[in-house]
């Protein structure tokens, strides 16, 4: 008799065991080697999967069920601990494989630097790509303590690669003065708020291909304390869900997404991975067409 493995924490709830017939692929990037404050996001992907067993299959927001969605949970990438550069290569290579197979990637972080090789691979495939970045932090530094491979640099790298005017940042409430100046000059920069500016920005993106990267720390620490660089003054989980639904209901063509910086050890209530799991369900049902 096959035992029910729902509580093993190995896979996101209701994922298919068949890669070939799956449209979307959930994969984990358990890396936290470059964080500037508290480590622990390497344990994010596994704990989000564990929390997913508490989800209903049905989304009343979208009137859809994950039982009708075909998605494969690939598990976590095997990353060489302590070697950020090589880890990013592994991630980039994996994403290029997914895109070659015409899959929709849904990444679980891990620190935010893991999104950088994903964005590079996405941009290779979609030269007219736009990036939606929802985060408490601007992530626009050129380097941190002399190190260009840092979780505070991925969006600056993306801006230099694809042009800042193809990037839309929401919810930003922390960064250096230089980052805020750079953002205001070079990026479609919407600090502090998320849902309201998204409503005006989405029509400007038309039907473009869009990659969506969400840092869980855009939420107020009262909604998501389990993150390495918690930042007071954030939005509620209700507003972040609304943001996902606004994107899902717009004309943009979402081609991939990730959710990063869940560090479960700082949240004994497990609320952070519980909200993260629900966000993944809504992104899966809303973004994968
Ligand atoms: Mn952040």
């Amino acid at each position: 008799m096959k035992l029910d493995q729902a509580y093993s924490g190995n896979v996101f709830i209701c994922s298919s065991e068949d890669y070939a017939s799956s449209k979307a692929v959930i994969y984990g990037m358990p890396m936290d080697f470059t964080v500037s404050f508290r480590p622990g996001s390497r344990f994010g992907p596994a704990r989000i999967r564990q929390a997913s067993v508490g989800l209903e299959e049905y989304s009343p927001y979208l009137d859809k069920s994950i039982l009708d969605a075909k998605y494969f949970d690939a598990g976590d990438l095997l990353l060489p601990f302590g070697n950020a550069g090589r880890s990013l290569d592994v991630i980039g290579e994996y994403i290029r494989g997914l895109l070659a197979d015409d899959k929709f990637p849904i990444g679980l972080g891990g620190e935010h630097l893991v999104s950088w090789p994903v964005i590079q691979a996405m941009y290779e495939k979609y030269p007219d790509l736009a990036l939606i970045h929802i985060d408490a932090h601007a992530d626009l530094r050129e380097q941190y303590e002399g190190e260009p491979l840092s979780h505070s640099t991925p969006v600056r790298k993306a801006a230099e690669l694809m042009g800042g005017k193809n990037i839309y940042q929401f919810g930003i409430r922390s960064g250096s003065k230089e980052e805020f100046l750079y953002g205001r000059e070079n990026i479609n920069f919407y600090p502090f708020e998320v849902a309201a500016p998204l409503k005006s920005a989405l029509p400007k993106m038309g039907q473009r291909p869009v990659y969506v990267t969400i840092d869980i720390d855009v939420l107020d620490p009262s909604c998501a304390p389990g993150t390495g660089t918690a930042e007071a003054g954030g939005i509620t989980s209700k507003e972040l869900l609304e943001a996902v639904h606004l994107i899902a209901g717009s004309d943009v063509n979402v081609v991939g997404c990730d959710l990063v910086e869940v560090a479960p050890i700082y949240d004994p209530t497990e609320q952070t991975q519980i909200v993260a799991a629900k966000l993944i369900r809504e992104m899966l049902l809303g973004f994968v067409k």
Side-chain angles (χ1 to χ4, degrees):
M1 190 183 112
K2 193 170 182 295
L3 295 174
D4 186 337
Q5 296 184 328
Y7 283 87
S8 67
N10 287 335
V11 292
F12 198 83
I13 192 170
C14 296
S15 50
S16 163
E17 286 178 15
D18 184 33
Y19 175 84
S21 63
S22 293
K23 177 101 184 90
V25 174
I26 295 173
Y27 65 100
M29 297 172 279
M31 167 169 149
D32 57 7
F33 318 145
T34 81
V35 298
S36 53
F37 192 32
R38 306 182 298 178
S41 61
R42 71 175 68 174
F43 301 112
R47 300 296 285 277
I48 294 170
R49 291 186 180 98
Q50 227 160 33
S52 75
V53 300
L55 291 169
E56 291 280 2
E57 291 105 1
Y58 177 66
S59 164
Y61 309 90
L62 297 165
D63 190 25
K64 284 183 184 173
S65 167
I66 49 174
L67 293 173
D68 301 322
K70 218 50 192 309
Y71 54 96
F72 178 80
D73 187 338
D76 288 354
L77 289 168
L78 202 55
L79 302 176
F81 294 112
N83 189 336
R86 178 73 193 118
S87 296
L88 300 187
D89 291 345
V90 170
I91 294 167
E93 202 175 313
Y94 180 70
I95 295 300
R96 284 179 186 90
L98 286 186
L99 295 180
D101 290 345
D102 217 18
K103 304 298 183 192
F104 184 106
I106 301 179
L108 307 176
E111 58 163 278
H112 217 155
L113 185 59
V114 298
S115 302
W116 165 231
V118 185
I119 293 165
Q120 284 175 289
M122 285 284 162
Y123 182 65
E124 275 166 29
K125 177 157 182 180
Y126 303 99
D128 55 340
L129 187 75
L131 175 67
I132 292 180
H133 171 225
I134 302 176
D135 196 331
H137 305 96
D139 290 355
L140 289 170
R141 281 181 155 89
E142 283 188 281
Q143 44 79 23
Y144 198 89
E145 304 291 347
E147 178 52 65
L149 288 183
S150 157
H151 76 147
S152 61
T153 61
V155 183
R156 177 62 172 263
K157 291 179 185 306
E160 284 163 11
L161 174 73
M162 56 193 276
K165 289 302 172 195
N166 296 312
I167 297 176
Y168 296 78
Q169 289 188 290
F170 301 92
I172 313 300
R173 59 186 184 277
S174 180
S176 66
K177 184 168 185 174
E178 290 73 22
E179 285 179 279
F180 273 74
L181 283 172
Y182 183 89
R184 289 200 160 98
E185 262 175 40
N186 299 289
I187 312 269
N188 302 291
F189 191 70
Y190 303 95
F192 308 113
E193 308 295 328
V194 178
L198 249 181
K199 281 178 197 158
S200 61
L202 280 166
K204 293 177 199 155
M205 287 179 239
Q207 300 181 340
R208 291 181 69 174
V210 169
Y211 186 77
V212 179
T213 180
I214 300 178
D215 185 326
I216 198 75
D217 69 26
V218 73
L219 293 174
D220 190 78
S222 58
C223 293
T227 191
T229 324
E231 197 66 52
I235 64 170
T236 63
S237 55
K238 188 179 179 186
E239 182 171 349
L240 187 52
L241 285 164
E242 185 190 357
V244 168
H245 296 139
L246 284 168
I247 298 166
S250 74
D251 290 336
V252 300
N253 173 28
V254 182
V255 290
C257 61
D258 63 42
L259 179 61
V260 301
E261 299 280 5
V262 171
I265 190 135
Y266 306 110
D267 183 1
T269 72
E270 302 191 51
Q271 198 47 238
T272 310
Q273 51 266 38
I274 288 169
V275 67
K278 183 165 179 175
L279 283 161
I280 293 297
R281 183 190 74 190
E282 295 305 299
M283 292 199 275
L284 180 65
L285 291 176
F287 293 168
V288 186
K289 300 277 156 71

